[in-house]
């Protein structure tokens, strides 16, 4: 009986435009229709009666909203949590039964995180999911969009590339708790085969999966570059070749703490790390270093005696 009453009252708190539950502030139009604050800010007029919005608020509905316990948005996936309006946002970002959308355009699939990789495999994509370091190709075709899954550090990401209006965008979104997204960053390193010293390196933080493409592909939300800046790297068949790397910030800090070099300038083409030779020999104990030097020097002399010259 109590559950039925709650369900009936919750219907009264549904925004008539977006159907999400309304919470304070609840806005009104001149006719008296109540809408959520998000819809009020998006629309110039009331979608129900085309009346103008006012500065008035529905204080009676706001008082009801404060007292209600709301179901989690992932109720259809099995979450039975009952939440106050102040708890909803935090819980739904961390809900273990949260549904994630497929990043492929026109795909309506929504499922749990552990089901996402299998769904992506079922689409039989021509390119397999990326790992944390990849060589990628983008066809410089106007108004194009490409997406692939990335499996790195036992976590999943979406890699998205969009070419539109003479701008090229690259974005990586962390699939999981939005608060963990900035624990990762990604690099785009553009190069030209045969001229490996000619490169452009760009990097940015990974974004939350909560960000829609309309917000994601903005100059401040992902890597963006004018196509004119990369024309010198495009091949005769209109392909732009680059490395995509997804990195964990905590791994980088750990390497720095142990004295390992993390600067991209000291990486090989295969991602292996090299020592900064401008700083001289490794910081070994003098005795060990002398021992290794003598062994190398004696070995060199022996090879020379045998008719070999060590270069």
């Amino acid at each position: 009986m109590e559950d039925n009453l709650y369900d009936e009252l919750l219907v009264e708190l549904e925004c008539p435009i977006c159907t999400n539950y309304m919470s304070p502030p609840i806005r009104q139009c001149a006719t008296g229709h109540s809408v959520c604050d998000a819809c009020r800010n998006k629309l110039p007029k009331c979608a129900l009666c085309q009346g103008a919005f006012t500065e008035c608020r529905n204080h009676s509905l706001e008082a009801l909203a404060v007292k209600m316990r709301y179901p989690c948005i992932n109720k259809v996936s099995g979450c039975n949590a009952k939440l106050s309006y102040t708890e909803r946002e935090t819980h739904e970002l961390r809900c273990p039964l949260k549904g994630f959308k497929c990043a492929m355009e026109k795909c309506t699939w929504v499922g749990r995180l552990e089901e996402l990789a299998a769904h992506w495999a079922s689409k039989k994509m021509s390119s397999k999911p990326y790992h944390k370091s990849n060589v990628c190709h983008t066809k410089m075709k106007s108004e194009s969009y490409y997406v692939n899954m990335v499996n790195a550090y036992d976590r999943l990401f979406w890699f998205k590339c969009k070419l539109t209006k003479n701008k090229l965008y690259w974005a990586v979104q962390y699939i999981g708790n939005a608060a963990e997204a900035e624990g990762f960053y990604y690099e785009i390193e553009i190069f030209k085969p045969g001229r490996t010293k000619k490169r452009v390196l760009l990097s940015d933080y990974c974004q939350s999966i909560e960000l829609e493409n309309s917000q994601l592909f903005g100059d401040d939300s992902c890597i963006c570059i004018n196509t004119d800046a990369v024309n010198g790297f495009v091949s005769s068949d209109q392909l732009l070749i680059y490395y995509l790397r997804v990195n964990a910030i905590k791994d980088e800090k750990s390497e720095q703490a142990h004295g390992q070099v993390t600067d991209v300038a000291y990486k090989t083409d295969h991602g292996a790390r090299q020592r900064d030779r401008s700083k001289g020999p490794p910081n070994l104990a003098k005795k060990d270093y002398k021992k290794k030097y003598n062994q190398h020097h004696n070995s060199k002399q022996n090879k020379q005696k045998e008719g070999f010259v060590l270069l």
Side-chain angles (χ1 to χ4, degrees):
M1 179 67 179
E2 184 178 349
D3 288 343
N4 290 336
L5 177 61
Y6 257 86
D7 290 342
E8 291 175 7
L9 291 174
L10 283 170
V11 170
E12 301 301 320
L13 287 169
E14 288 182 359
C15 174
I17 298 170
C18 67
T19 71
N20 291 330
Y21 293 124
M22 296 182 288
S23 57
I26 298 175
R27 306 295 185 178
Q28 288 185 305
C29 72
T31 308
H33 295 125
S34 296
V35 298
C36 69
D37 195 46
C39 288
R40 164 64 181 86
N41 292 329
K42 289 178 184 176
L43 301 173
K45 295 181 179 179
C46 176
L48 301 178
C49 66
Q50 297 301 305
F53 284 112
T54 69
E55 296 302 317
C56 296
R57 292 165 56 177
N58 191 327
H59 294 292
S60 296
L61 275 184
E62 287 183 1
L64 177 62
V66 170
K67 295 179 175 67
M68 293 295 293
R69 305 292 294 183
Y70 297 86
C72 174
I73 198 172
N74 303 308
K75 181 180 178 181
V76 292
S77 300
C79 182
N80 296 315
K82 299 289 185 181
L83 311 156
S84 69
Y85 85 94
T86 56
E87 297 170 334
R88 286 170 59 201
E89 182 176 0
T90 301
H91 168 84
E92 288 170 2
L93 286 174
R94 294 174 169 80
C95 180
L97 297 174
K98 181 176 181 176
F100 293 94
K101 295 188 293 185
C102 176
M104 184 64 69
E105 289 184 327
K106 299 181 181 179
C107 180
T108 59
W109 183 90
V110 178
R112 296 170 64 177
L113 182 59
E114 56 267 30
E115 301 169 337
L116 189 55
H119 165 73
W120 192 249
S122 73
K123 300 185 82 66
K124 298 185 172 134
M125 305 295 294
S126 57
S127 60
K128 294 182 179 180
Y130 291 148
H131 299 290
K132 63 181 181 180
S133 182
N134 314 268
V135 177
C136 304
H137 307 77
T138 290
K139 187 76 171 178
M140 298 298 285
K141 181 181 177 182
S142 182
E143 302 304 319
S144 60
Y145 173 68
Y146 173 80
V147 61
N148 199 3
M149 180 176 284
V150 180
N151 191 331
Y153 304 98
D154 294 323
R155 292 172 171 83
L156 297 179
F157 303 79
W158 288 125
F159 168 62
K160 298 178 179 179
C161 177
K162 185 173 183 178
L163 177 58
T164 180
K165 297 179 180 177
N166 295 319
K167 283 192 174 184
L168 187 56
Y169 298 89
W170 289 284
V172 175
Q173 288 179 286
Y174 175 70
I175 308 174
N177 186 342
E180 298 175 5
E182 286 201 357
F184 302 90
Y185 71 100
Y186 64 105
E187 297 172 321
I188 299 293
E189 186 176 0
I190 305 167
F191 67 95
K192 192 165 186 177
R195 297 180 61 82
T196 56
K197 299 302 180 185
K198 183 177 181 179
R199 296 174 180 239
V200 173
L201 178 65
L202 307 161
S203 66
D204 202 349
Y205 288 97
C206 294
Q207 289 287 356
S208 161
I209 195 64
E210 305 297 327
L211 215 58
E212 297 291 338
N213 282 2
S214 57
Q215 299 171 285
L216 181 65
F217 293 122
D219 294 348
D220 297 326
S221 298
C222 68
I223 293 174
C224 174
I225 191 169
N226 288 325
T227 54
D228 291 345
V230 298
N231 283 342
F233 295 89
V234 178
S235 65
S236 58
D237 53 354
Q238 294 300 298
L239 279 180
L240 181 67
I241 305 175
Y242 52 91
Y243 292 113
L244 162 69
R245 303 186 188 97
V246 177
N247 305 300
I249 292 173
K250 64 179 180 180
D251 280 7
E252 184 176 75
K253 290 179 179 177
S254 175
E255 288 175 355
Q256 290 172 342
H258 288 83
Q260 297 179 13
V261 176
T262 59
D263 196 316
V264 172
Y266 306 124
K267 294 179 184 176
T268 67
D269 287 352
H270 301 290
R273 301 193 183 278
Q274 297 179 335
R275 179 173 57 82
D276 181 1
R277 299 183 184 277
S278 67
K279 297 180 180 179
N283 187 22
L284 302 172
K286 289 184 178 180
K287 184 176 179 181
D288 291 341
Y289 181 72
K290 186 175 181 181
K291 180 180 178 181
K292 289 185 177 182
Y293 174 80
N294 289 337
Q295 288 174 345
H296 173 71
H297 184 69
N298 292 337
S299 174
K300 180 178 179 180
Q301 286 182 332
N302 290 337
K303 287 187 177 182
Q304 287 174 336
K305 289 177 183 178
E306 295 169 2
F308 294 95
V309 177
L310 184 65
L311 299 177

